[in-house]
Structure formats: structure tokens, C-alpha cells
């Protein structure tokens, strides 16, 4: 079985690739990634010699290349993660998000349809999406699989659009698909533009911790390897034409999360208690900032028996340890273009 995973050199993708390559030696896993600023082959160093793993550098928006690739390898399934993924970048450059997330997804869907539309038996297009498509919750309530889409940022609008196209290919061409919408992930290999790895890196370097607005925005955090396991389960056991919400049952306001992170980092770095908290700096809010995300993951728990394996404090500690150990990785990804991004975003 030839399976294409897109975006496998990124944060979540690298954990999904590892999950599949190591657990299913009889599958041939092809990892297609354009290696943008967020893609990093260092994330997959341990798999380089694996017999059932191939890396392909390429762009999902390149229609000719994608069609040729699909004809050549006849992928029976696609697990699609490649995307532009950072909300702040989408505010500065929305068209890049439409191109990769909408057009790129359509190019893949079309190539898959052209290959299999006469015989969908045993085929599956698995689309990895986000809870941000549902918009923002007030103080109460949870996102379920039937919550209406209501995206607020260019990022979430582009992901919502891609979800709609996947569904449309299912309805129009009978393409077997599964979509999962997951909450905020954290863990090793997370690019330090997102809250947790950015703040870990800044604490290490004694730099200010830029908390947007009043810091009372709430996210539901899930350890990345638990997301990879959920994708594995839903890919193998999920029902065609279904959506599964994946979440951590783990809501934190940004400011309480940051304070916990500061405390753990002071312990790890053997700095006096309160040192890292002293770096907290409230800055201008993000435009269109969603107040609260929280997932009701009852369906995947009940139907597929999935549950998060780690408590947040445990996962956070493993994550901090990983960043403190992998200083070369952190140094490499924060040199060059990262410095320009940082200046533009935070000055
Ligand atoms: P990421 O930014 O770390 O990785 C994205 C990967 O896609 C990178 O390796 C990049 O090189 C690749 N890529 C980008 N454009 C490409 C293109 N045109 N062609 C081929 N490859 C391209 O993202 P992530 O956080 O790992 O997210 C992966 C997926 O999961 C995304 O679809 C995202 O929307 C979704 N998701 C993320 C989260 C989260 O908390 N990070 C939560 C839910 C869902
Ligand atoms: P982020 O990690 O960008 O994920 P998302 O916006 O997709 O949820 O941000 C998580 C939360 O942290 C969000 O409410 C925005 C906030 N945040 C800050 O306060 N400061 C920062 O520097 C960043 C990157 C995020």
C-alpha cells in the first residue's frame, strides 16, 4: 500500500510520519513537503534509513508535478497536512494561505479523483484540519462535529474552505474521505512562532514574553503525539464521509498557561522563582483574535476509543526537556529568516 503524507516535515506531520513508518512496516510511506520555513528534515533524521519511507520535495500547488506523482505512485490513500499554519502570518499575507491551503488541497483532491474515480474501493483521502474553522466560543459551550463553520482569520477561512472542498469531492464524485478537526497542539519539533515554543525559546534567551491583549484568551491543548495516534485511529477505523473532532479536554487561558510554563522553566533552568514571570509583557492584541476554542471530543472517544494519554503538566515538561536538549535544532530554526519575521511581528 502506497500512502502519501503531505507536510510530513512540519510539526504535526513529522509525528504522523513517524507513527505510520514505525507502526506499519508493510505500508510504503511517501512524505511530500515543499520544505518552507516550517518544514525541516531534521525532524525526521531517525527515519532516514527506514525501508518503507521516501521523502519527496515538492509543492502541492504545482498541478503538473502532483498529477505526475500520483500517476507514478498510484497512492491508495492520502493523509493531507501540508499547509500554511500560523494565524499571525495569515494576517500579514492572506493570499499565501489561499494558495497553499485552498488551491493546494484542490490540486491533491483532483489528482486523487482523476486516478480512482472509477474504483474508489479501499481508497481514502484523510484531511487534517483545525477547530479554528468553527470560529470563536463565548465563555461556555464546546465545538461539536455539527457546529456551524464561522472562521474569523484568513488562516481559519482557508482551512474551512479546504474542508468544504474535501466534502464536496465526497458528495460530487463519491470520493471516500475523513476529516478531523483538532485543537491546539504542543510538543517537540514545534516551530517557535506559536505560543508555547516561542515562549520557551524567549525564556531560555531572557527575552520578553509578548502576551496579546489581556491574556484571557482560551485554548484547548493536546500533546502532538496524541494527535498522531488519533489520526492513525481515524484513518484506519473512521467512517467514510465523517468528521471527527479531536481535543485535549484541557482548556487554559493564555496567561495561566504562560505562568505555569514560567514556573516549570525556572525549575528546569535553576533560576530563582519568578524570574521568567518577570519577562511577561502585555502587547497589542491580534486583530480578529478568537476568544475561546474548546473541543467536544466525545465522538472519537466513544466511536474509536481514543483518549489523550498525557496530563498537560506531563506533556509540557517533556516538551520543555526536548527544547532544552535540542539546542542545535532551536538554533538552526531561529537563525536567518526567523529574525526578520520576529522583528516584523513584535516590533
Ligand atoms: P507546520 O507549519 O509546522 O507544517 C506545515 C508543513 O507543510 C511544513 O513542513 C511545510 O514545509 C509544508 N508545506 C507548506 N506549504 C507547502 C506546499 N505548498 N507544498 C508542500 N508542503 C508544504 O504545521 P503544523 O502545525 O504541523 O500543522 C499541520 C496541519 O495540521 C495543518 O494542516 C494545520 O492546519 C493542521 N492543524 C494544526 C494544529 C496546530 O496546533 N498546529 C491544530 C489543528 C490542525
Ligand atoms: P498560537 O500558538 O499562535 O495558536 P492559535 O492562534 O492558532 O490558537 O496562539 C495561541 C494563543 O496565544 C492565541 O490566543 C494567541 C496567543 N499568543 C500570544 O499571546 N502571544 C504570542 O506571541 C503568540 C504567538 C500567541
Amino acid at each position: 500500500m502506497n500512502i502519501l503524507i503531505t507536510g510530513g516535515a512540519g510539526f504535526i506531520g513529522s509525528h504522523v510520519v513517524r507513527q505510520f513508518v514505525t507502526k506499519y512496516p508493510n505500508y510504503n510511506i511517501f512524505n511530500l513537503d515543499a520544505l518552507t520555513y516550517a518544514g525541516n528534515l531534521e525532524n525526521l533524521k531517525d527515519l532516514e534509513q527506514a525501508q518503507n519511507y521516501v521523502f519527496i520535495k515538492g509543492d502541492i500547488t504545482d498541478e503538473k508535478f502532483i498529477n505526475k506523482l500520483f500517476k507514478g505512485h498510484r497512492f491508495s490513500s492520502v493523509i493531507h497536512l501540508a499547509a500554511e499554519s500560523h494565524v499571525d502570518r495569515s494576517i500579514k499575507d492572506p493570499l499565501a494561505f489561499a494558495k497553499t491551503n485552498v488551491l493546494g488541497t484542490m490540486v491533491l483532491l483532483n489528482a486523487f479523483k482523476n486516478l480512482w474515480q472509477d474504483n474508489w474501493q479501499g481508497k481514502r483521502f484523510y484531511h487534517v484540519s483545525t477547530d479554528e474553522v468553527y470560529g470563536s466560543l463565548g465563555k461556555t459551550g464546546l465545538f461539536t462535529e455539527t457546529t456551524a463553520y464561522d472562521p474569523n482569520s484568513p488562516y481559519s477561512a482557508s482551512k474551512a474552505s479546504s474542508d468544504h472542498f474535501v466534502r464536496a469531492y465526497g458528495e460530487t464524485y463519491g470520493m471516500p474521505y475523513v476529516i478531523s478537526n483538532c485543537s491546539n497542539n504542543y510538543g517537540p519539533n514545534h516551530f517557535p512562532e506559536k505560543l508555547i515554543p516561542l515562549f520557551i525559546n524567549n525564556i531560555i534567551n531572557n527575552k520578553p514574553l509578548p502576551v496579546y491583549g489581556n491574556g484571557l484568551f482560551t485554548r484547548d491543548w493536546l500533546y502532538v503525539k496524541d494527535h498522531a495516534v488519533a489520526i492513525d485511529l481515524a484513518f484506519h477505523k473512521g467512517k467514510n464521509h465523517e468528521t471527527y473532532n479531536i481535543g485535549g479536554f484541557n482548556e487554559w487561558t493564555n496567561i495561566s498557561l504562560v505562568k505555569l510554563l514560567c514556573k516549570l522553566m525556572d525549575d528546569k533552568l535553576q533560576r530563582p522563582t519568578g524570574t521568567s514571570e518577570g519577562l511577561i509583557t502585555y502587547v497589542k492584541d491580534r486583530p480578529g483574535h478568537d476568544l475561546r476554542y474548546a473541543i467536544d471530543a466525545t465522538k472519537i472517544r466513544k466511536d474509536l476509543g481514543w483518549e489523550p494519554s498525557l496530563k498537560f503538566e506531563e506533556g509540557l515538561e517533556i516538551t520543555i526537556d526536548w527544547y532544552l536538549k535540542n539546542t542545535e535544532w532551536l538554533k538552526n530554526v531561529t537563525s536567518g529568516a526567523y529574525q526578520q519575521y520576529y522583528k516584523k511581528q513584535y516590533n
Side-chain angles (χ1 to χ4, degrees), residues 286-304:
R286 171 189 279 173
H289 198 167
D290 286 331
L291 178 67
R292 178 170 163 256
Y293 304 142
I295 281 274
D296 179 353
T298 308
K299 178 176 172 184
I300 191 165
R301 179 156 73 180
K302 262 178 67 186
D303 292 4
L304 305 182

Side-chain angles (χ1 to χ4, degrees), residues 17-310:
V17 166
R18 183 170 300 101
Q19 170 81 12
F20 277 75
V21 168
T22 54
K23 192 166 164 199
Y24 303 105
N26 55 328
Y27 295 174
N28 296 314
I29 302 298
F30 294 82
N31 170 16
L32 170 69
D33 198 296
L35 298 182
T36 68
Y37 78 93
N40 187 349
L41 286 179
E42 273 188 60
N43 294 345
L44 295 161
K45 260 212 149 98
D46 54 315
L47 299 181
E48 270 167 10
Q49 306 303 323
Q51 297 290 310
N52 61 336
Y53 171 67
V54 177
F55 173 73
I56 302 163
K57 184 168 187 293
D59 189 331
I60 57 166
T61 67
D62 183 343
E63 195 182 352
K64 244 189 177 164
F65 161 75
I66 292 293
N67 285 337
K68 200 167 155 215
L69 190 72
F70 274 65
K71 274 197 192 126
H73 293 289
R74 302 182 68 77
F75 304 116
S76 55
S77 294
V78 176
I79 304 174
H80 176 37
L81 295 105
E84 289 293 339
S85 68
H86 189 39
V87 173
D88 292 328
R89 288 185 192 255
S90 82
I91 294 167
K92 295 226 153 60
D93 187 8
L95 287 184
F97 282 67
K99 186 173 179 214
T100 297
N101 299 358
V102 185
L103 186 66
T105 301
M106 290 190 70
V107 167
L108 293 171
L109 288 168
N110 231 34
F112 198 58
K113 166 183 84 72
N114 290 343
L115 202 56
W116 301 119
Q117 62 187 334
D118 295 330
N119 177 20
W120 286 121
Q121 189 64 34
K123 314 299 182 305
R124 175 158 278 187
F125 192 100
Y126 189 106
H127 183 58
V128 177
S129 192
T130 166
D131 60 355
E132 302 191 26
V133 299
Y134 299 123
S136 181
L137 290 163
K139 289 214 167 83
T140 57
L142 298 171
F143 295 134
T144 72
E145 286 79 1
T146 54
T147 301
Y149 276 35
D150 190 19
N152 292 314
S153 73
Y155 164 64
S156 53
S158 68
K159 291 297 291 186
S161 172
S162 67
D163 293 10
H164 290 322
F165 275 110
V166 173
R167 194 178 164 278
Y169 271 66
E171 293 301 311
T172 307
Y173 308 110
M175 183 191 77
Y177 74 86
V178 170
I179 300 175
S180 54
N181 296 80
C182 188
S183 63
N184 287 59
N185 285 213
Y186 71 96
N189 308 94
H190 205 182
F191 192 81
E193 63 185 353
K194 309 271 168 64
L195 181 74
I196 291 180
L198 180 89
F199 280 30
I200 292 176
N201 187 41
N202 284 12
I203 291 172
I204 294 172
N205 294 300
N206 273 310
K207 280 172 64 176
L209 306 177
V211 173
Y212 295 161
N214 60 10
L216 295 177
F217 300 85
T218 300
R219 300 291 184 263
D220 169 5
W221 294 93
L222 177 68
Y223 188 60
V224 64
K225 292 185 191 182
D226 282 332
H227 187 189
V229 169
I231 290 173
D232 177 355
L233 259 180
F235 174 77
H236 286 100
K237 303 215 167 103
K239 277 203 199 127
N240 277 330
H241 294 212
E242 292 271 338
T243 288
Y244 294 89
N245 278 358
I246 306 169
F249 304 97
N250 178 41
E251 285 186 53
W252 288 77
T253 60
N254 292 340
I255 194 64
S256 19
L257 186 161
V258 169
K259 285 186 176 166
L260 171 64
L261 188 65
C262 286
K263 187 176 153 298
L264 293 172
M265 289 293 289
D266 282 348
D267 289 349
K268 294 278 173 197
L269 295 168
Q270 297 181 338
R271 293 176 181 171
T273 308
T275 309
S276 302
E277 259 197 60
L279 298 170
I280 292 176
T281 312
Y282 289 91
V283 300
K284 201 166 135 244
D285 204 359
R286 171 189 279 173
H289 198 167
D290 286 331
L291 178 67
R292 178 170 163 256
Y293 304 142
I295 281 274
D296 179 353
T298 308
K299 178 176 172 184
I300 191 165
R301 179 156 73 180
K302 262 178 67 186
D303 292 4
L304 305 182
W306 174 87
E307 282 206 334
S309 71
L310 287 183

